[in-house]
């Protein structure tokens, strides 16, 4: 924290990203970038670009934060983020390439011949894009706040406005080269400090991770309380406090008996070295052995870990194919064989990347345990280098991590905003003129900003998980049934989209706005996919059966186009 | 991207009735689909079972899963990280299967349907660029 290099590094990354974007646009202005790229991009570049666009703030900050809090269970987030590509490759990618549809609304209209269905799909693309944008802005607020001390809302607004203005003026497009650069920047920014952290950990002889104990403060630690928090004290602890504690103003030594204590915003607590860390109220105080045991926390749902875990697996496996900024990237492959090689490389790149946040999450329990008190474990990646290494080296590594985090949400949110604004301007308002696109970009940027200001207390990866749940409950059934089942009708597709979409979106909104937390209802709302995905499939099949007369007459031909190998020549582009 | 509404091949491209009949009824096409399914469906079952097994073992074989291997690094944690590897291995197997078993058949089918005429404007698996 307080690294003097962090702010310049963030500014530098932002400027460089914008500059490369502006420069790249000169090549890509006349023709669709994706078509241009499709002739020239090798699987290696392409895989880097896909990974670069995919690895968002959730992956960069969020996975480490969740691992720190909940341990082994949340490995399913990164495993699912990765395995989603396998599900997409096996069942969706190749047929969709053959269909020639660039976006999900295109596919829906082409497959089922319904303009109204197209609009419905456009609506869900926008919704999922927004949900996915929220945690990016949230990450931005957190990062700026952590490195400069600015309030959360300021960071979110500054970044939301910068990205929106940039996209609206045609600055940053999804240029393969920029996105590929982003992957390597993110990996470097995370892996290099991780390497030094591991060295320090080994050299320091701090081996608390191998002992079954609750995290303790490694040195005397001062904690600034930025938002009101309640903590749960398990072992008695003495501290020095300055601020409002349990409703009374305190300035001096204090000792806490086991139980719940409320700390008001603005308080400063100082804990001696070796004191056990009181955990934020919503967290269970885990000793390190429980932390490392799978299914002990259910990622925050200790009562129903099995359901929560299955639901998460379903959402991430099936949701990837429905994310607006993921599918379109597969068109940059020249042929099916290259697409498969690309996917394999993407899985490798993502797998390597995700090992690193796991390291941060584990070391966070040793070096930055105060985050378990405040609950803001998403900041672990940002704070660890300074806390564990210290000195100029720690500050430089801290700046590197902060810059990487900024790269993460700049690339992902720009890609998403372009997709959302594109759909808004072509399908919802106007007919795709440049002016309409600019207005659409403004709308597309403001809505998630509003939501981002609401969700301060949620973990960024959890919010991203919700976007996956909605995608899995809507576009996954549409794509899978649309590609593999002749009997699908437009009415069936619409009914299934609405059923899965409304249920999952409702659950998401209640969770985001801080509704039900505990019990069956809580876990169902926080991890809705295990219920909403089967419901969406079922409704789609049943309503299609009931409206069997509406099966498109040319379904046989469409199926041949979708399933005949590309080399047969039926996919020859006309003209 | 945003200024143009992309026209899809499904609507723009007409497959002649003759093409459709030929492909649809050819034994190679049926064989091709069979080979895809023969691999993809069992493989899906295998990987789902493997993932679900991990979760079930975490729930009901806690003793085994929390066996310490190195410090607090236990069997469960290692299995968790192995999920990355297994996903990668399954994908690699699919890529190999496609390259070895389905692609050559697709090429045969194409030669048979189109004669030896080179496909000037189409995308081919052999890397011919688009016109």
């Amino acid at each position: 924290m307080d690294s003097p290099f962090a702010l310049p590094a963030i500014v530098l990354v932002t400027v460089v990203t914008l500059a490369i974007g502006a420069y790249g646009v000169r090549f890509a202005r006349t023709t669709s970038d994706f078509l241009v790229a499709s002739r020239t991009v090798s699987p290696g570049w392409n895989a880097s670009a896909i990974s670069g666009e995919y690895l968002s703030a959730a992956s960069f900050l969020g996975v480490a934060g969740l691992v720190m809090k909940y341990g082994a269970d949340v490995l399913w987030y990164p495993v699912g983020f990765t395995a989603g590509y396998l599900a997409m490759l096996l069942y969706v990618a190749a047929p969709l390439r053959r269909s020639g549809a660039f976006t999900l609304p295109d596919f829906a209209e082409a497959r089922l011949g319904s303009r109204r269905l197209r609009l419905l799909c456009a609506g869900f693309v926008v919704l999922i894009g927004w949900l996915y944008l929220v945690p990016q802005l949230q990450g931005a607020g957190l990062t700026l706040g952590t490195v400069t001390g600015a309030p959360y809302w300021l960071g979110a607004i500054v970044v939301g406005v910068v990205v929106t203005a940039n996209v609206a003026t045609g600055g940053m497009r999804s240029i393969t080269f920029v996105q590929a650069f982003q992957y390597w920047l993110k990996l470097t920014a995370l892996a290099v400090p991780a390497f030094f952290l591991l060295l320090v950990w080994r050299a320091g002889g701090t081996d608390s991770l191998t002992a079954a104990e609750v995290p303790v403060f490694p040195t005397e630690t001062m904690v600034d309380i930025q938002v009101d928090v309640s903590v749960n004290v398990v072992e008695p602890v003495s501290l020095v406090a300055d601020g409002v504690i349990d409703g009374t103003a305190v300035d001096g030594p204090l000792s806490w008996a086991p139980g719940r204590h409320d700390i008001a915003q603005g308080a400063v607590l100082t804990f001696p070295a070796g004191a056990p860390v009181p955990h934020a109220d919503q967290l269970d105080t885990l000793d390190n052995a429980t932390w490392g045991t799978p299914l002990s926390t259910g990622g925050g749902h200790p009562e129903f870990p099995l359901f929560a875990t299955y639901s998460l697996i379903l959402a991430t496996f099936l949701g990837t194919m429905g994310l607006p900024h993921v599918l379109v990237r597969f068109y940059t492959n020249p042929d099916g064989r290259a697409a498969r090689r690309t996917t394999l490389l993407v899985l490798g790149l993502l797998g390597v990347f995700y090992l690193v946040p796991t390291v941060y999450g584990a070391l966070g329990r040793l070096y930055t345990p105060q985050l378990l008190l405040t609950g803001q474990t998403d900041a672990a990646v940002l704070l660890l280098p300074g806390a564990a290494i210290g000195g100029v080296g720690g500050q430089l590594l801290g700046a590197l991590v902060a810059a990487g985090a900024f790269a993460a949400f700049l690339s992902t949110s720009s890609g998403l905003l372009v997709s959302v604004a594109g759909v808004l301007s072509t399908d919802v308002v106007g007919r795709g003129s440049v002016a309409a696109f600019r207005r659409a970009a403004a709308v597309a940027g403001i809505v998630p900003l509003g939501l981002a200001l609401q969700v301060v207390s949620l973990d960024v990866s959890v919010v991203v998980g919700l976007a996956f749940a909605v995608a899995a409950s809507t576009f996954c059934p549409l794509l899978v049934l649309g590609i593999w089942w002749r009997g699908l009708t437009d009415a069936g597709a619409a009914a299934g989209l609405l059923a899965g979409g409304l249920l999952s979106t409702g659950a998401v909104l209640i969770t985001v706005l801080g509704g039900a937390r505990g019990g069956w209802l809580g876990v169902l709302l926080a991890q809705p996919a295990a219920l909403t995905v089967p419901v969406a499939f079922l409704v789609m099949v049943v309503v299609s059966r009931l409206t069997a007369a509406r099966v498109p007459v040319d379904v046989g031909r469409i199926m041949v186009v979708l399933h005949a190998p590309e080399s047969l020549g039926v996919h020859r582009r006309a003209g | 991207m945003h200024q143009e509404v992309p026209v899809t091949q499904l609507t723009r491209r007409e497959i002649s009735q003759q093409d459709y009949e030929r492909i649809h009824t050819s034994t190679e096409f049926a064989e091709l689909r069979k080979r895809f399914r023969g691999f993809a469906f069992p493989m899906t079952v295998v990987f789902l079972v493997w993932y679900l097994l991990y979760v079930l073992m975490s729930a009901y074989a806690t003793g085994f899963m929390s066996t310490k291997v190195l410090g607090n690094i236990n069997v469960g944690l290692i299995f968790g990280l192995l999920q990355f590897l297994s996903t990668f291995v399954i994908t690699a197997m699919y890529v190999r299967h496609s390259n070895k078993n389905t692609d050559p058949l697709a090429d045969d089918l194409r030669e048979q349907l189109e004669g030896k005429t080179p496909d000037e404007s189409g995308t081919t698996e052999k890397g011919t660029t688009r016109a």
Side-chain angles (χ1 to χ4, degrees):
Chain A
M1 176 137 59
D2 297 337
S3 162
F5 309 109
L7 195 59
I10 287 175
V11 172
L12 184 71
V13 162
T14 310
V15 170
V16 168
T17 309
L18 300 191
I20 297 176
Y23 181 66
V25 164
R26 298 217 185 122
F27 300 103
R29 194 170 286 284
T30 48
T31 334
S32 159
D33 173 49
F34 296 112
L35 287 179
V36 173
S38 71
R39 298 193 190 131
T40 53
V41 178
S42 71
W45 272 103
N46 213 350
S48 301
I50 290 173
S51 310
E53 193 159 2
Y54 190 59
L55 292 169
S56 66
S59 305
F60 198 92
L61 302 176
V63 169
L66 285 182
V67 169
M68 182 175 166
K69 268 184 189 168
Y70 301 119
D73 279 356
V74 294
L75 285 178
W76 284 111
Y77 277 93
V79 169
F81 291 159
T82 311
Y85 276 96
L86 175 57
M88 184 165 93
L89 176 71
L90 279 179
Y91 292 107
V92 174
L96 205 66
R97 261 183 63 82
R98 294 181 199 125
S99 79
F102 272 85
T103 65
L104 289 158
D106 285 346
F107 172 77
E109 186 179 12
R111 169 68 176 79
L112 295 162
S114 162
R115 176 85 198 153
R116 290 214 305 248
L117 184 66
R118 181 197 175 92
L119 280 179
L120 186 63
C121 288
F124 278 114
V125 167
V126 171
L127 183 78
I128 292 165
W130 277 344
L131 277 176
Y132 211 106
L133 272 163
V134 170
Q136 312 307 322
L137 298 173
Q138 206 188 341
L142 180 83
T143 307
L144 259 188
T146 305
V147 300
T148 68
Y152 167 81
W153 57 265
L154 184 68
I157 286 180
V158 165
V159 167
V161 169
V162 166
V163 172
T164 306
N166 188 33
V167 167
T169 52
M172 169 121 175
R173 301 271 197 98
S174 297
I175 292 152
T176 306
F177 173 69
V178 181
Q179 298 291 359
F181 165 77
Q182 295 274 8
Y183 171 80
W184 294 103
L185 176 67
K186 288 175 206 174
L187 184 63
T188 309
L190 212 54
V192 169
F195 174 74
F196 285 104
L197 285 171
L198 284 173
L199 282 186
V200 166
W201 177 54
R202 296 309 300 174
T206 321
D207 57 353
S208 311
L209 272 186
T210 60
E213 58 187 30
V214 169
V216 296
F217 291 104
T219 54
E220 187 181 80
T221 307
M222 212 160 83
V223 187
D224 289 315
I225 303 299
Q226 283 159 352
V227 279
D228 293 352
V229 66
S230 299
V231 298
N232 190 18
V233 175
V234 177
E235 294 174 53
V237 59
S238 40
L239 64 152
V240 178
D242 178 5
V244 180
I245 314 287
D246 291 327
T248 37
V250 182
D251 187 6
L254 198 66
S255 70
W256 274 348
R260 194 183 137 117
H261 297 276
D262 299 317
I263 311 160
Q265 184 183 351
V268 179
L269 311 177
T270 310
F271 292 89
V277 178
H279 283 36
D281 205 27
Q282 72 271 19
L283 291 179
D284 286 332
T285 307
L286 302 175
D287 60 44
N288 285 324
T290 314
W291 173 82
T293 308
L295 229 66
S296 53
T297 65
H301 300 280
E303 304 153 79
F304 308 102
L306 211 58
F307 180 87
T309 307
Y310 279 143
S311 205
L312 175 65
I313 292 176
L314 212 59
T316 48
F317 280 19
L318 301 178
T320 304
M321 64 179 75
L323 296 177
H325 63 306
V326 167
L327 262 181
V328 78
R329 278 245 151 245
F330 270 79
Y331 286 94
T332 52
N333 288 300
D335 57 47
R337 185 178 292 232
R340 292 193 293 263
R341 277 229 342 255
T342 302
T343 313
L344 191 63
L345 288 170
V346 166
L347 287 177
L349 292 176
L350 293 181
V352 166
F353 181 89
Y354 281 127
L355 289 179
V356 190
T358 315
V359 170
Y360 278 85
L363 294 182
R365 292 177 72 80
L366 296 181
Y367 296 109
T368 55
Q370 69 273 20
L371 297 174
L372 294 170
L373 189 157
T374 58
Q376 294 171 328
T377 48
D378 282 336
V381 168
L382 300 166
L383 294 178
L384 258 171
I389 298 169
V392 177
Q395 290 179 341
L396 282 172
L397 292 173
L400 183 62
V401 170
F406 252 67
F409 60 69
L410 275 178
S411 56
T412 308
S413 54
S414 297
L416 279 166
L417 206 58
V418 169
S419 305
V420 171
V423 166
L424 269 180
S425 66
T426 47
D427 282 332
V428 184
V429 293
R431 294 292 319 155
S433 70
V434 173
F437 180 81
R438 288 190 178 152
R439 279 197 303 275
V443 176
I446 285 169
V447 173
L449 189 54
L451 275 174
L453 297 177
Q454 286 292 321
V455 294
V456 195
S457 62
L458 285 180
D459 297 297
V460 292
S461 277
V462 171
V463 182
V464 163
L466 294 173
F468 274 85
V470 176
S473 311
T474 51
F475 289 129
C476 169
L478 176 72
L479 285 167
V480 169
L481 292 177
I483 289 169
W484 296 98
W485 187 46
R486 287 163 179 268
L488 187 70
T489 66
D490 54 349
L497 281 176
L498 283 172
L502 292 179
L503 281 176
S504 55
T505 310
V508 167
L509 284 181
I510 294 173
T511 306
V512 166
L513 298 176
R517 285 276 157 82
W520 260 113
L521 195 62
V523 72
L524 213 55
L525 290 171
Q527 297 287 359
L531 178 73
T532 54
V533 173
V535 164
F537 269 101
L538 194 71
V539 170
M540 232 176 243
V541 170
V542 169
V543 177
S544 292
R545 280 271 179 247
L546 293 175
T547 55
R550 298 177 67 97
V551 171
V553 285
D554 58 345
V555 66
R557 283 185 198 192
I558 292 173
M559 283 298 180
V560 167
V561 173
L562 289 176
H563 294 284
E566 289 173 52
S567 60
L568 280 188
V570 294
H571 305 283
R572 198 178 304 150
R573 287 190 178 257
Chain B
M1 255 303 281
H2 55 273
Q3 288 90 348
E4 50 201 274
V5 183
V7 183
T8 71
Q9 290 174 355
L10 285 183
T11 48
R12 177 173 63 183
R13 240 206 37 77
E14 297 293 321
I15 318 173
S16 70
Q17 188 62 33
Q18 202 189 355
D19 268 348
Y20 165 57
E21 294 289 341
R22 275 194 311 173
I23 295 168
H24 193 63
T25 54
S26 75
T27 48
E28 281 87 352
F29 184 55
E31 173 66 19
L32 208 59
R33 297 195 66 178
K34 213 179 95 190
R35 284 192 193 180
F36 172 80
R37 288 180 186 158
F39 180 85
F41 293 175
M43 205 37 114
T44 308
V45 173
V46 167
F47 85 69
L48 281 180
V49 167
W50 162 238
Y51 291 133
L52 300 189
L53 187 71
Y54 171 79
V55 180
L56 281 178
M57 280 174 64
S58 307
Y60 300 109
T62 37
F64 171 70
M65 293 299 262
S66 50
T67 309
K68 303 281 167 68
V69 178
L70 182 76
N72 259 14
I73 310 294
N74 55 33
V75 174
L77 213 53
I78 291 175
F79 268 29
L81 291 174
L82 277 181
Q83 307 286 348
F84 285 114
L85 198 65
S86 57
T87 310
F88 186 81
V89 168
I90 291 167
T91 312
M93 284 166 70
Y94 172 68
V95 170
R96 247 177 66 105
H97 171 83
S98 298
N99 290 348
K100 219 174 95 186
N101 298 327
T102 47
D103 281 3
L105 189 67
D107 290 342
D108 288 351
L109 182 55
R110 173 171 155 249
E111 274 185 24
Q112 190 196 324
L113 285 172
E114 303 195 343
K116 302 281 179 193
T117 41
D119 178 2
E120 281 164 8
S121 58
T123 309
T124 80
E125 301 279 328
K126 285 173 180 163
T128 315
T129 46
R130 260 180 210 151

